[in-house]
Amino acid sequence: MSITTDTMSFSLGLNAKGGKVLRPCAPGNPPPVLKKGHRPSKRAVHLANALMVERMLHNGVFPSVEAAMQALGITRMMRTRLFRALNMPPEEMARVLEETY
């Protein structure tokens, strides 16, 4: 008896309400997997997310911080961590964004 399995690739995205959804990728185009030593650290990902939220607020994507937090599903504790990360000096931010594991 032989069992064949097909693999299917998914990417994580947000729906219109800000909820997380899995979207299937094209069969020949799976998302890239980074090797050890080239993956961004958790601090780097966290800071990049904070910078993206800040850019969205500056560009007027959301009318207020509260609207952004509700749309993106960010809690008050997460909001505090995001804005604390943005208080770092630019040199420190650049160093953190280069961190890998």
Side-chain angles (χ1 to χ4, degrees):
M1 174 197 266
S2 67
I3 298 174
T4 59
T5 59
D6 293 329
T7 60
M8 187 174 219
S9 300
F10 291 93
S11 65
L12 185 64
L14 297 175
N15 63 13
K17 294 182 179 181
K20 296 176 186 169
V21 293
L22 287 176
R23 294 192 178 115
C25 293
N29 191 14
V33 176
L34 298 175
K35 295 181 181 179
K36 275 192 170 184
H38 297 285
R39 300 172 188 159
S41 68
K42 287 184 181 183
R43 285 181 55 192
V45 171
H46 181 72
L47 181 57
N49 288 337
L51 291 168
M52 188 163 77
V53 169
E54 181 186 40
R55 185 181 333 140
M56 291 169 82
L57 288 168
H58 282 287
N59 290 341
V61 174
F62 300 106
S64 68
V65 173
E66 292 303 320
M69 299 305 116
Q70 184 177 11
L72 298 173
I74 298 173
T75 63
R76 286 190 298 166
M77 184 179 75
M78 291 169 62
R79 179 187 65 196
T80 302
R81 288 181 57 214
L82 285 174
F83 289 126
R84 232 183 248 150
L86 295 173
N87 284 333
M88 281 192 251
E91 299 82 23
E92 178 72 13
M93 282 185 182
R95 190 183 64 72
V96 168
L97 288 171
E98 294 294 322
E99 288 180 355
T100 60
Y101 75 95

